Amino acid sequence: MSTIDIATARKVAHLARIRVAEDQLPKLAEQLSGILSFMEQLNEVDVTGVEPMTSVTPMRLKRRADVVTDGGYPDKVLSNAPEAREGFFAVPKVVE
Amino acid sequence: MTLNALTISDARDALRKGEITATDLTMACLTAMDAGDGLGAFVHKTPEIALDQARAADARIQAGDAPSLCGIPLGIKDLFCTKGVPSQAASNILRGFRPEYESTVTAKLFGAGAVMLGKLNMDEFAMGSSNETSCYGDVINPWRAGNDETALTPGGSSGGSAAAVAADLCLAATGTDTGGSIRQPAAFTGITGIKPTYGRCSRWGIVAFASSLDQAGPMTKDVRDAAIMLQAMCGHDPKDSTSADLPVPDFEAALTGDIRGKTIGIPREYRMDGMPDEIEALWATGRRMLEDAGARIVDISLPHTKYALPAYYVIAPAEASSNLARYDGVRYGHRAKLAQGDGITEMYEKTRAEGFGPEVRRRVMVGTYVLSAGFYDAYYNRARKVRALIKRDFDEAFAQGVDAILTPATPSAAFALGKEMSDPVEMYLNDVFTVTVNLAGLPGISVPAGLDKSGLPLGLQLIGRPWEEADLLNTAFAIERAAGFVAKPAKWW
């Protein structure tokens, strides 16, 4: 029976890039623990020799020639950007 | 009868005979849509687009070119990207997003002449079973329990679609179904909803939740309409690598109602502890209806059914956490206001905390956890193995000659808004009869089959063999004819 402690909740929130206030972490840890203990039922199943399902219906993914098929409209690509400058997406400074 | 209450098939026939015009039909729906604001179903209305499309449809019909959906007013779930029209998956993180492109499914519908009335409310990113996680607010079920005025959920995630169709605000609507999001709300509102086989409908341009489970489908007033609309939505699309390159049969032509000699399986594992008597009775009635229509009924076993929900609630959040990584405040939608000195990590973390609602945040974090180093095998891989076993259960039933499987659609009738929001796991139990179908990639349909003692609709679910939607629709048609479900919610809105 695994439970999520506050440190783990903090770590998961950071990995998910979702800010969670310190005072919200205990409640989050409790809810995540509840959900995970629900999933623990899966441990009852004998999965020896079973391959994990990767494709819903047996199908081979199609291939196509490696050529440009679309594009050439940066204005459209940028039209929904919160911030765009000179044909680029703009973000805060990434490298000091 | 008012025009907005017509079925697709009746409207089609009247349009072709020139008895009504697409413009009048669309006007009637626009009036009903505005009068239905109290239901919270439509969240972005597009009357100008609708009237332009209706006029174009009238011209097309006059020219003798009238596909089945020509001039038919539809509502479109907010999950579908519609060019130039807000498409935000009921999330604040996509506030203001207007796609520069059209989803394949809506492009096919509009190509067939369909009219878009507007975008429909839903659970945020389709994560929910009661339409209470939407950034737009709740949808209210047009049905009430007798004289009790308590606001009931229309189900979710396609709650706006279900309410709009049940209340005759549109003739039909698009839905999507990842764990039951078409079939559960259809059952809660007394309408028909089908999730086709995984790969039948292109997912291109539909905001992704869990890519190995998501499928679009129609939500309609009857089975014939489901056949007509599904036909227009299906087909191979090179832009979706999982889209099936298979011919689409004529679904409407398959509706003969003749199911003599068909074998219907009744899975014993779907008899849940604490299942209400009325659901049990409805299931028995459905069994009898199919038997009376000449089908052979067999008891079957799907032994891993019990593990479908926990497997689903590992796999769906895992896929969601990957899919929703794209909402980072860079390319579209919301970006948080940053403080002095905030860098890109703060931008991501603040943007996603502000933009996602509580259920979406929770599922993304669950997904992140089950995919993280050290837990990947214990949770994610194990869930995918259990998923393989769930699919094997169905494969074995079909190999024994079962043509379709009959189950209840939901474990209860529509419940009160707010009732199950406090406990996420309690809410997940709503999907107990429907998630198996998504995990196995099968087609499933919910058909209204009766009312409970308080007068709320109840649905039966039929599960079909892969790619055999035509046969499945025909079996559903037999139930529909036998059930003779004609009840409508009394108008209070």
Side-chain angles (χ1 to χ4, degrees):
Chain A
M1 188 80 177
S2 64
T3 51
I4 301 247
D5 58 22
I6 289 173
T8 309
R10 189 185 294 117
K11 183 173 165 229
V12 170
H14 178 65
L15 286 174
R17 298 291 184 271
I18 295 174
R19 176 152 299 191
V20 178
E22 275 298 315
D23 63 347
Q24 294 297 308
L25 285 172
K27 192 181 167 209
L28 175 66
E30 187 197 327
Q31 285 184 330
L32 294 182
S33 296
I35 294 168
L36 286 173
S37 67
F38 176 63
M39 295 169 179
E40 303 282 323
Q41 292 176 66
L42 295 177
N43 293 330
E44 299 166 13
V45 186
D46 181 3
V47 293
T48 321
V50 179
E51 281 299 307
M53 188 163 153
T54 48
S55 176
V56 187
T57 47
M59 58 168 75
R60 186 192 291 250
L61 290 183
K62 295 204 171 211
R63 295 180 171 194
R64 65 165 175 81
D66 184 14
V67 292
V68 176
T69 58
D70 197 6
Y73 37 75
D75 292 354
K76 282 188 177 184
V77 173
L78 294 172
S79 67
N80 280 292
E83 206 183 335
R85 263 179 251 155
E86 298 164 39
F88 293 97
F89 293 109
V91 294
K93 202 174 193 181
V94 179
V95 183
E96 288 299 331
Chain B
M1 183 188 250
T2 47
L3 294 179
N4 50 297
L6 290 173
T7 58
I8 293 176
S9 60
D10 285 345
R12 170 190 63 185
D13 298 347
L15 284 164
R16 284 178 180 168
K17 285 186 205 147
E19 293 166 0
I20 60 171
T21 66
T23 306
D24 286 345
L25 179 61
T26 299
M27 291 290 290
C29 288
L30 291 173
T31 304
M33 174 174 78
D34 285 337
D37 282 345
L39 297 166
F42 276 95
V43 289
H44 299 286
K45 299 177 181 177
T46 56
E48 282 147 29
I49 293 174
L51 288 170
D52 281 349
Q53 288 172 327
R55 280 188 285 268
D58 279 328
R60 220 169 140 177
I61 293 164
Q62 284 220 314
D65 165 32
S68 286
L69 285 180
C70 197
I72 302 297
L74 303 177
I76 304 296
K77 189 177 182 180
D78 200 36
L79 205 63
F80 291 79
C81 287
T82 44
K83 191 174 181 180
V85 175
S87 305
Q88 62 181 85
S91 180
N92 282 322
I93 211 156
L94 276 171
R95 189 167 293 280
F97 177 58
R98 287 173 189 262
E100 293 281 351
Y101 49 83
E102 188 74 41
S103 84
T104 297
V105 164
T106 47
K108 278 174 169 288
L109 291 170
F110 301 147
V115 169
M116 173 168 74
L117 298 166
K119 301 301 280 290
L120 290 163
N121 207 342
M122 53 180 280
D123 279 297
E124 184 180 4
F125 283 106
M127 296 179 194
S129 306
S130 63
N131 215 117
E132 291 169 283
T133 69
S134 166
C135 75
Y136 307 114
D138 300 346
V139 178
I140 299 173
N141 195 328
W143 290 85
R144 286 174 166 174
N147 295 322
D148 186 342
E149 292 183 7
T150 306
L152 303 178
T153 177
S157 70
S158 309
S161 304
V165 174
D168 291 328
L169 310 188
C170 52
L171 270 60
T174 60
T176 62
D177 191 314
T178 304
S181 284
I182 287 176
R183 291 159 288 154
Q184 182 252 24
F188 278 9
T189 55
I191 65 167
T192 300
I194 181 168
K195 180 201 90 73
T197 313
Y198 182 81
R200 261 293 184 214
C201 288
S202 169
R203 291 180 293 108
W204 194 84
I206 301 173
V207 174
F209 162 14
S211 303
S212 79
L213 301 158
D214 297 343
Q215 263 295 290
M219 301 179 69
T220 58
K221 294 176 191 179
D222 65 16
V223 174
R224 181 172 300 281
D225 284 8
I228 294 169
M229 189 166 159
L230 182 63
Q231 181 96 37
M233 294 169 73
C234 289
H236 180 242
D237 177 12
K239 287 190 282 196
D240 172 0
S241 65
T242 60
S243 158
D245 196 356
L246 291 174
V248 180
D250 185 337
F251 295 134
E252 191 183 5
L255 303 181
T256 61
D258 183 1
I259 58 162
R260 283 174 298 175
K262 294 283 178 192
T263 301
I264 308 295
I266 309 284
R268 72 172 64 98
E269 291 80 7
Y270 281 59
R271 186 156 286 113
M272 299 282 170
D273 288 340
M275 191 157 88
D277 292 345
E278 288 177 302
I279 301 285
E280 186 94 40
L282 180 84
W283 195 11
T285 306
R287 175 186 178 130
R288 205 172 50 246
M289 287 172 186
L290 293 172
E291 207 161 27
D292 290 347
R296 193 169 72 91
I297 310 293
V298 295
D299 289 312
I300 61 167
S301 175
L302 300 168
H304 295 90
T305 298
K306 177 181 168 198
Y307 303 105
L309 267 182
Y312 176 85
Y313 279 97
V314 173
I315 292 166
E319 295 188 21
S321 76
S322 305
N323 274 325
L324 272 59
R326 74 191 69 183
Y327 304 103
D328 55 7
V330 176
R331 285 156 296 168
Y332 27 64
H334 177 73
R335 176 186 291 187
K337 288 227 182 334
L338 299 182
Q340 195 72 33
D342 277 354
I344 196 145
T345 302
E346 288 78 15
M347 184 190 78
Y348 294 152
E349 291 185 345
K350 288 184 176 178
T351 295
R352 290 162 64 81
E354 289 175 10
F356 293 144
E359 179 63 18
V360 173
R361 293 200 298 266
R362 199 153 46 225
R363 293 207 202 181
V364 168
M365 287 190 271
V366 166
T368 303
Y369 181 79
V370 300
L371 291 177
S372 64
F375 300 104
Y376 186 92
D377 266 328
Y379 289 102
Y380 183 60
N381 256 347
R382 175 166 281 268
R384 290 195 304 158
K385 289 176 184 175
V386 173
R387 184 178 185 183
L389 292 172
I390 289 164
K391 182 165 189 293
R392 188 187 293 171
D393 288 350
F394 282 106
D395 290 346
E396 283 170 5
F398 292 136
Q400 285 161 20
V402 168
D403 293 295
I405 295 165
L406 178 74
T407 79
T410 57
S412 72
F415 49 88
L417 286 164
K419 181 165 172 257
E420 293 180 10
M421 273 309 268
S422 52
D423 181 356
V425 172
E426 191 67 29
M427 185 64 87
Y428 299 167
L429 296 177
N430 265 288
D431 304 329
V432 63
F433 297 135
T434 47
V435 279
T436 50
V437 176
N438 300 75
L439 289 168
L442 302 171
I445 186 167
S446 171
V447 201
L451 297 173
D452 75 359
K453 57 182 177 301
S454 63
L456 292 174
L458 297 171
L460 285 169
Q461 172 178 243
L462 284 162
I463 303 166
R465 295 162 172 264
W467 314 115
E468 294 193 9
E469 291 88 355
D471 197 51
L472 182 67
L473 283 157
N474 188 40
T475 308
F477 186 60
I479 288 193
E480 178 182 78
R481 290 215 295 206
F485 184 93
V486 289
K488 286 271 196 182
K491 194 169 183 298
W492 53 263
W493 57 90

